[in-house]
């Protein structure tokens, strides 16, 4: 009984400890998606240090992953009353993002897995995605340029309806913003950049708000953030979702391990004469090329190659670039694969009784690219991993914690997994009255996400290295791996499940 009373008292204290003064809850016109701080109120706070606002959570980085965290906090009963500051210099976050259906697809897209789709549905964001262009796909064909091997993955092999959905990043971002707008989450957007962060501010800044019936936490126990426009704020927890060059990670002193790949990627939107319903990926000598459906007659291209080649391809005129694309996707570099390097597959006849339906499918040629529907964009590729995801009052999510090779489109799914996992851990802390900035609590988040992310990073890095060498015996081994994945049903099901967001390792099940 005494323990129950203690927990009840701690829960009650937590519920009131971070009430934001009404003055801090800035409002905007109906066209705004989330209230931002008007400049005159920021000026007022800069002039009176006692009015510096404090929040439960400060999310640095208002991109897709940061907004996913805010959306999850807003939709969870134990966290929906938290006060949240979102710090991002993008001025577009102050207003609604209008997306015209007649606009061509943006080349920046994400392939979201069924696991991510389920998370979006849980928080109410997926319904907004469905209002805009998107493309579900239930089949994927992967093959090698040598013509020695290929495999087809089908959602039916694991009794699922889809393998994933390709969505423009701006649509995902808009969906999360729309979701947050329709919640009661106390939130504030600071359209500024983080310049400094102190986890243990000096005791001279500590004070107690005598106007409240409940004493506010001593500010010595909070993180203090200074912004580029002169604003300051305090928070119990600072979440770095500010990308691969994370300022939060730098200021918190997190070390990283990683390297740059000798590759760049070209992305763009292309148009066909017919609608594409399959995801295609071909491994070429310089790196993979992927053709992903994006809806209507459009597809998205992610083409990996050397930096020199990327520069040359990017400077080509449109007609020459389209010819190069079709050459890379169809008849260039090597022949089409036959039905199997291993003939009829008699080597695996003992598995025929359990054969997947896709094992009987023959090689298909991707739809021909007709023309470009967007500008081309080039970006370098790298692998980077933070040695730690959490310390006292600080946690990293998304690219701030890890960046991966894009060959399987898993990067953003790992980030979304981080965001929703951290939200759950925060809720668990609140349930037992724990300070949400305590390192012991945040290490639970790290313990959940770090192993899963490392395994995925290792798998992707292994693929990158295995398919970056053109060597005869290795080519045969790769082809055998393709055909094994195509014909050996348990292996194929494990690979599909893992790529769909199942946390099981891609081994025989």
């Amino acid at each position: 009984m005494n323990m129950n009373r203690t927990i009840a008292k701690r829960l009650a204290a937590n519920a009131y400890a971070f009430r934001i003064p009404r003055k801090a809850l800035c409002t905007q016109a109906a066209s705004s998606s989330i209230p931002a701080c008007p400049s005159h109120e920021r000026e007022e706070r800069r002039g009176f240090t006692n009015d510096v606002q404090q929040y439960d959570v400060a999310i640095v980085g208002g991109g897709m992953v940061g907004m996913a965290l805010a959306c999850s906090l807003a939709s969870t009963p134990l966290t929906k009353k938290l006060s949240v500051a979102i710090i991002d210099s993008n001025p577009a976050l102050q207003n609604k993002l209008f997306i015209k259906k007649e606009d061509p697809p943006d080349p920046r897209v994400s392939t979201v897995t069924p696991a991510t789709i389920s998370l979006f549905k849980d928080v109410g964001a997926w319904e907004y995605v469905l209002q805009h262009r998107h493309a579900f796909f239930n089949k994927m064909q992967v093959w090698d340029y040598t013509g020695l091997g290929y495999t087809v993955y089908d959602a039916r092999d694991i009794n699922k309806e889809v393998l994933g959905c390709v969505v423009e990043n701006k649509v995902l971002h808009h969906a999360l913003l729309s979701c947050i707008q329709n919640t009661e989450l106390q939130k504030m957007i600071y359209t500024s950049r983080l310049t400094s962060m102190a986890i243990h501010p000096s005791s001279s800044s500590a004070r107690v708000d005598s106007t409240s019936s409940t004493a506010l936490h001593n500010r010595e126990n909070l993180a203090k953030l200074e912004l580029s426009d002169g604003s300051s704020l305090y928070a119990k927890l600072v979440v770095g979702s500010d990308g691969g060059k994370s300022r939060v990670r730098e200021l918190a002193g997190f070390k990283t391990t990683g390297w740059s790949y000798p590759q760049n990627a070209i992305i763009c939107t292309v148009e066909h004469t017919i609608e594409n319903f399959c995801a295609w990926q071909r491994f070429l000598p310089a790196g993979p090329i992927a053709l992903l459906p994006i809806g209507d007659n459009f597809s998205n291209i992610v083409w990996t190659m050397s930096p020199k080649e990327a520069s040359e391809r990017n400077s080509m005129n449109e007609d020459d670039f389209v010819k190069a694309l079709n050459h890379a996707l169809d008849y260039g570099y090597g022949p089409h694969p036959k039905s199997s390097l291993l003939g009829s597959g008699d080597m695996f006849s003992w598995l025929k009784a359990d054969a997947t339906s896709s094992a009987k499918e023959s090689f298909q040629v991707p739809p021909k690219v007709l023309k470009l529907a967007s500008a081309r964009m080039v970006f370098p590729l790298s692998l980077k991993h933070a040695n730690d995801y959490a310390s006292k009052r600080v946690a990293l999510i998304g690219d701030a914690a890890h960046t991966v090779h894009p060959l399987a489109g898993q990067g953003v799914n790992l980030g979304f997994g981080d965001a929703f996992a951290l939200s759950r851990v925060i809720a668990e802390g609140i349930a037992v009255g724990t300070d949400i900035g305590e390192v012991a609590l945040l290490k639970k988040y790290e313990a959940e996400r770090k192993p899963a992310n490392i395994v995925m990073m290792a798998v992707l890095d292994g693929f990158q290295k295995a398919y970056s060498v053109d060597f005869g015996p290795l080519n045969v081994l790769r082809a055998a791996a393709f055909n094994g994945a195509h014909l050996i049903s348990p292996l194929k099901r494990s690979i599909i499940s893992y790529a769909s967001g199942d946390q099981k390792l891609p081994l025989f099940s």
Side-chain angles (χ1 to χ4, degrees), residues 5 57 67 95 142 153 203 237 243 258 289 373 407 428 470 482:
R5 281 197 294 269
V57 182
M67 286 301 178
N95 303 307
V142 184
Y153 299 109
S203 58
L237 172 62
I289 182 171
L407 67 85
E428 290 170 6
D470 186 12
F482 269 119

Side-chain angles (χ1 to χ4, degrees), residues 260-411:
S260 296
Y261 291 112
Q263 294 174 321
N264 284 359
I266 295 180
I267 63 172
C268 60
T269 304
V270 298
E271 189 172 351
H272 313 284
T273 56
I274 58 173
E275 188 166 2
N276 177 28
F277 294 100
C278 179
W280 313 81
Q281 183 159 297
R282 187 185 189 197
F283 285 92
L284 302 175
I289 182 171
L291 180 74
L292 307 172
I294 193 61
D296 301 325
N297 287 1
F298 297 109
S299 290
N300 182 260
I301 291 286
V302 182
W303 192 359
T304 303
M305 61 192 74
S306 69
K308 181 177 183 236
E309 189 178 3
S311 177
E312 293 171 353
R313 300 285 190 201
N314 193 41
S315 61
M316 283 181 172
N317 63 51
E318 180 176 336
D319 289 342
D320 288 341
F321 184 74
V322 168
K323 288 178 183 177
L325 276 178
N326 287 317
H327 184 264
L329 286 165
D330 187 4
Y331 49 82
Y333 300 95
H336 295 159
K338 304 299 181 183
S339 59
S340 173
L341 174 68
L342 305 170
S344 61
D346 289 340
M347 181 179 293
F348 301 109
S349 59
W350 57 280
L351 287 169
K352 280 186 176 179
D354 189 37
T356 59
S357 58
S358 60
K360 303 173 185 177
E361 295 190 27
S362 59
F363 176 82
Q364 300 292 318
V365 176
K368 187 175 182 179
V369 174
L370 185 65
K371 62 180 181 179
L372 294 182
S374 78
R376 284 160 276 179
M377 302 176 67
V378 180
F379 57 93
L381 304 182
S382 64
L383 181 148
K384 183 179 291 185
H385 188 253
N387 297 343
D388 297 287
Y389 289 10
S391 63
K392 188 174 181 63
R393 308 232 169 268
V394 181
L396 303 178
I397 60 176
D399 284 357
H402 44 76
T403 57
V404 299
H405 197 284
L407 67 85
Q410 291 294 328

